[in-house]
Amino acid sequence: MKRPIAMIAGTGHAVPKKILTNHDFAALGIDTNDEWITDRTGIKQRYIAGEGESLTSLSAEAARAAMKAAGVTAPELDIIILGTASPDRLLPATAVEVQAAIGATRAAAFDISAACSGWVYGMKMAEGLLAMGDAETVLVIGAETLSRIVNWKDRNTCVLFGDGAGATVVKRSTKGRGILSAYLRSDGTLADLLQRQAGGALRPVTPEVLAEGSNCISMAGREVFKNAVRSMADACDRALDGAKLAASDIDLLIPHQANIRIIEATAKHAGMPMEKVYVNVDRYGNTSAASIPIALNEALRDGRIKEGMTVMFVAFGAGFTWGSLVVRF
Ligand code: ACO
């Protein structure tokens, strides 16, 4: 089937009210400082969900904004796909709670577990559903409340992550706009490098698990770093090949916002100057599956993306999973 089949018709994002800056960690008793965090990651602040805020509420807020931008109503949605690593509950999927919250009465809703690559994976699924004729309007959400699953005693991880949600309405392509290429990969042999060891069905929560914090995220930072750069570089090459484009044809690269050094290394490999790379990791931290759709919504809102532009998205996360898209707007 000839591309483009599916296009981005509207976007939205939502973040919690509370901002936690690098300077705020001292008051939490965490042995870190602004200089270390800024040098190693580029992060200056992140949003943290508070009372009354949840993955469902943030996702629903982002979804309403995306639907408004796309000019569609909730009952028009055929499918809701929510990529997350921090669902409100393990059962049922948070996507069905979002469905109820927004009143998407006709939709089928489900979560996907592809960690930071969740939104890219969801977009590829949305395209497939449109190609098969199984859907006309799909809502793809990437959302996280990672602050609720990090170990706030582990300075190696708790400074990195933030909460938020980004949503995208996907519809049938018009005027040559939409997904020009898509690439997905994973490598489960490296699953242990970034994980929540306990808290699932294999190792349920016990007092011991809570005491050791093994229900929280743990990460081999250096290994993740190396694999992230290698895989995102590969994914950029694949997406460009798939679209039969060169890096010089790309107007903007929106990479997963994990860490400024990973972003810079990926951009260098892809042959993209930093002026053509969208960066907001300084303001949001790593919001995992939410990072790309939040950045996309900002880039559209700020006029960084204009009609006719070609944008490349690239993601990497636990699994490991990675993937990329080239999209014409
Ligand atoms: N504040 C101060 N010191 C710290 C902190 C902190 N928050 N965290 C770790 N340190 C210390 C360590 O204890 C260590 O001290 P030591 O030498 O006395 O033992 C020292 O800093 C160096 O630690 P390293 O882990 O070797 O530091 P590194 O240069 O590798 O940077 C980092 C760590 C930032 C986590 C880096 O490895 C990284 O960015 N990895 C990628 C991780 C990532 O982005 N993961 C997100 C999920 S996957 C994704 O989204 C792509």
Side-chain angles (χ1 to χ4, degrees):
M1 206 172 277
K2 206 170 161 295
R3 283 180 162 132
I5 295 159
M7 69 170 191
I8 293 171
T11 63
H13 86 259
V15 287
K17 285 184 212 63
K18 186 180 169 189
I19 292 177
L20 187 74
T21 71
N22 292 349
H23 299 286
D24 295 333
F25 284 107
L28 300 175
I30 297 161
D31 180 16
T32 188
N33 56 72
D34 176 54
E35 194 188 348
W36 193 96
I37 301 171
T38 305
D39 284 356
R40 307 280 174 127
T41 72
I43 298 166
K44 299 299 274 182
Q45 62 168 50
R46 70 287 292 140
Y47 292 85
I48 302 291
E51 214 177 313
E53 292 173 323
S54 64
L55 196 75
T56 302
S57 71
L58 294 169
S59 299
E61 190 183 334
R64 288 189 197 99
M67 289 189 292
K68 190 169 176 215
V72 306
T73 60
E76 288 175 74
L77 297 177
D78 298 309
I79 309 278
I80 300 172
I81 304 171
L82 192 156
T84 190
S86 48
D88 279 342
R89 297 188 258 183
L90 292 182
L91 188 75
T94 304
V96 298
E97 307 209 46
V98 176
Q99 170 183 23
I102 63 176
T105 43
R106 287 179 46 255
F110 58 95
D111 289 359
I112 54 171
S113 178
C116 307
S117 309
W119 181 83
V120 171
Y121 272 56
M123 289 296 291
K124 170 94 167 121
M125 280 188 212
E127 184 194 38
L129 287 160
L130 262 85
M132 291 296 290
D134 290 329
E136 286 300 317
T137 309
V138 182
L139 179 66
V140 181
I141 301 170
E144 301 289 359
T145 44
L146 293 173
S147 66
R148 291 179 175 159
I149 60 165
V150 295
N151 182 347
W152 284 96
K153 294 190 184 113
D154 176 14
R155 68 177 182 174
N156 291 292
T157 51
C158 73
V159 302
L160 303 176
F161 299 106
D163 301 336
T168 313
V169 173
V170 180
K171 286 184 72 76
R172 201 160 288 286
S173 167
T174 59
K175 301 183 202 159
R177 288 183 289 200
I179 297 174
L180 303 181
S181 70
Y183 173 72
L184 301 182
R185 268 296 302 277
S186 57
D187 182 355
T189 65
L190 302 173
D192 290 351
L193 295 177
L194 179 49
Q195 61 164 331
R196 291 174 79 188
Q197 206 180 47
L202 180 64
R203 212 177 148 213
V205 174
T206 59
E208 291 73 34
V209 163
L210 292 177
E212 68 191 20
S214 54
N215 57 318
C216 299
I217 294 176
S218 67
M219 178 181 72
R222 292 219 166 161
E223 290 307 309
V224 172
F225 191 101
K226 277 188 270 178
N227 279 281
V229 173
R230 190 181 309 136
S231 304
M232 285 167 81
D234 171 58
C236 288
D237 291 346
R238 303 282 186 149
L240 289 172
D241 283 353
K244 297 191 173 50
L245 294 174
S248 55
D249 298 316
I250 301 297
D251 296 298
L252 189 67
L253 172 65
I254 302 188
H256 168 48
Q257 307 284 315
N259 175 311
I260 190 64
R261 294 186 299 149
I262 295 177
I263 293 172
E264 284 170 353
T266 303
K268 191 170 170 200
H269 177 92
M272 297 288 298
M274 282 307 286
E275 310 86 78
K276 286 188 171 183
V277 180
Y278 197 84
V279 177
N280 66 9
V281 68
D282 51 326
R283 288 177 287 126
Y284 293 92
N286 180 349
T287 58
S288 182
S291 93
I292 293 180
I294 289 175
L296 166 61
N297 185 49
E298 280 195 340
L300 282 164
R301 201 183 57 196
D302 299 349
R304 286 283 299 271
I305 301 175
K306 297 190 179 64
E307 204 175 318
M309 282 188 169
T310 306
V311 179
M312 181 156 68
F313 301 91
V314 61
F316 175 85
F320 292 133
T321 59
W322 62 101
S324 50
L325 299 171
V326 172
V327 178
R328 177 148 307 137
F329 282 81

